[in-house]
Amino acid sequence: MSYSKNPIVKRVKSKFEAIQHIAEVFVSGQSAQRGLLVSGDAGTGKSHYIKLAFIATGTTKKVDYQKSKTFTPPALYAKLWENRMPGDVVVFDDCSLESMTGEAFRKFTSWIKGGLELSKGPKMLGYEAASKNALFEELGVPSEFDFQGSIIWITNTRFERLAKKFGDHWDAVKGRFIPVEVFLTKEEKYMYTNYLIEEVDMLGEKCEAKEGGYSDEIIANTLDYLNENYDNFKEITPRVAIKVADTMEMYPLVWKNILNQHDIYDNE
């Protein structure tokens, strides 16, 4: 079976390829739009396709990629300052920026609106505090600067929830970004994962989770297990497939018991 010709797989591929294409144009620095907001399911490939865009454009080294980090307002302000120049790109991938509260979230909202405004000229961001900040002093961060860099924000949070969080500011915030939303059905995730395993060698030599990937036997057993137990899984994503393959290889005697401890089945 050729998964690449399957209409479901083709539909999913087109969604992710669109993300890559947008990111490739985005990091060129030629667009007046300097914000990219990607929202989608966890473990399906959002980050992967963004990184492919960096590879395709030779911009990997100039991108400041922040993964799974929590930022205080001073730390976020300093990070924006470090990436303030035209052509600079900072990526916030699963950094839970939307989880900020109170004054911290108000500052974040203000910086997004001010820094990514669609207009020529300076985009001034500022931070006023009653006392000196050690991080600012260490890095030489001023109380005000012109932000001409670009922001890529990757999140699992749906736009509906972001809209509730930002309230009256949501339209203004969303308007500062190129918004891309990719959420897949259970069947789409399953078919796409099979395509990645069978035709892209996701668990073999091209495996990004383990050097050298897994053996042909483990890959075949993983496919059989996923296919035979499709109805029992909450979802089958590339991340779940890697978890199954790795558990099979590392714990051959008890792999089923270990997988039962993970929150991956509908009946748990």
Side-chain angles (χ1 to χ4, degrees):
M1 175 182 181
S2 176
Y3 282 98
S4 61
K5 296 181 180 179
N6 182 282
I8 295 176
V9 173
K10 290 172 71 174
R11 183 169 66 244
V12 175
K13 282 182 62 182
S14 69
K15 293 179 180 180
F16 285 118
E17 287 169 355
I19 290 177
Q20 181 179 342
H21 178 68
I22 292 170
E24 287 177 7
V25 174
F26 183 82
V27 297
S28 72
Q30 301 302 309
S31 175
Q33 300 175 90
R34 293 178 295 107
L36 174 60
L37 173 57
V38 180
S39 171
D41 297 296
T44 52
K46 303 185 302 300
S47 302
H48 174 70
Y49 280 88
I50 294 291
K51 291 176 181 177
L52 284 182
F54 302 151
I55 294 172
T57 55
T59 56
T60 300
K61 291 185 177 180
K62 84 169 189 177
V63 172
D64 187 350
Y65 205 102
Q66 301 295 311
K67 174 67 176 178
S68 302
K69 294 183 179 179
T70 300
F71 287 87
T72 63
L76 180 58
Y77 182 79
K79 181 57 61 178
L80 294 175
W81 181 79
E82 289 178 330
N83 293 278
R84 66 194 181 280
M85 302 302 292
D88 288 346
V89 179
V90 58
V91 180
F92 297 107
D93 185 356
D94 196 24
C95 289
S96 300
L97 299 179
E98 69 276 13
S99 297
M100 291 181 175
T101 59
E103 184 61 26
F105 189 74
R106 285 190 287 274
K107 284 185 170 67
F108 168 54
T109 302
S110 176
W111 295 333
I112 290 294
K113 292 168 64 177
L116 299 179
E117 178 62 75
L118 283 171
S119 63
K120 295 180 181 179
K123 312 293 189 304
M124 303 306 296
L125 305 185
Y127 191 101
E128 297 294 337
S131 58
K132 291 183 179 180
N133 183 278
L135 179 62
F136 292 177
E137 290 190 321
E138 177 185 345
L139 299 177
V141 180
S143 61
E144 186 178 51
F145 66 89
D146 178 17
F147 181 77
Q148 296 293 333
S150 299
I151 298 172
I152 297 178
W153 180 10
I154 306 172
T155 179
N156 300 334
T157 304
R158 291 179 178 270
F159 287 167
E160 292 86 349
R161 288 184 58 191
L162 290 177
K164 291 181 180 179
K165 177 70 175 184
F166 282 101
D168 293 339
H169 297 281
W170 172 238
D171 286 342
V173 169
K174 185 179 179 183
R176 263 64 169 186
F177 289 95
I178 300 172
V180 182
E181 199 168 31
V182 182
F183 286 93
L184 309 177
T185 66
K186 181 178 179 179
E187 183 181 23
E188 286 175 332
K189 294 174 187 176
Y190 166 68
M191 295 295 289
Y192 184 63
T193 300
N194 270 276
Y195 156 73
L196 292 177
I197 297 172
E198 298 240 33
E199 299 186 29
V200 183
D201 200 24
M202 182 194 79
L203 296 178
E205 292 184 1
K206 294 184 179 179
C207 183
E208 295 185 358
K210 181 178 180 179
E211 190 68 36
Y214 301 93
S215 68
D216 290 343
E217 181 181 3
I218 290 294
I219 294 173
N221 290 341
T222 297
L223 277 169
D224 288 343
Y225 186 73
L226 295 177
N227 295 334
E228 290 170 5
N229 294 277
Y230 170 77
D231 290 336
N232 297 327
F233 280 94
K234 290 181 177 179
E235 60 181 8
I236 293 177
T237 65
R239 184 176 295 167
V240 169
I242 291 170
K243 182 171 291 189
V244 170
D246 194 73
T247 306
M248 281 184 173
E249 178 167 276
M250 301 308 298
Y251 309 97
L253 300 180
V254 293
W255 64 269
K256 283 189 177 181
N257 290 336
I258 293 174
L259 288 176
N260 284 334
Q261 305 306 311
H262 291 288
D263 186 27
I264 59 177
Y265 299 112
D266 266 333
N267 58 355
E268 289 190 345

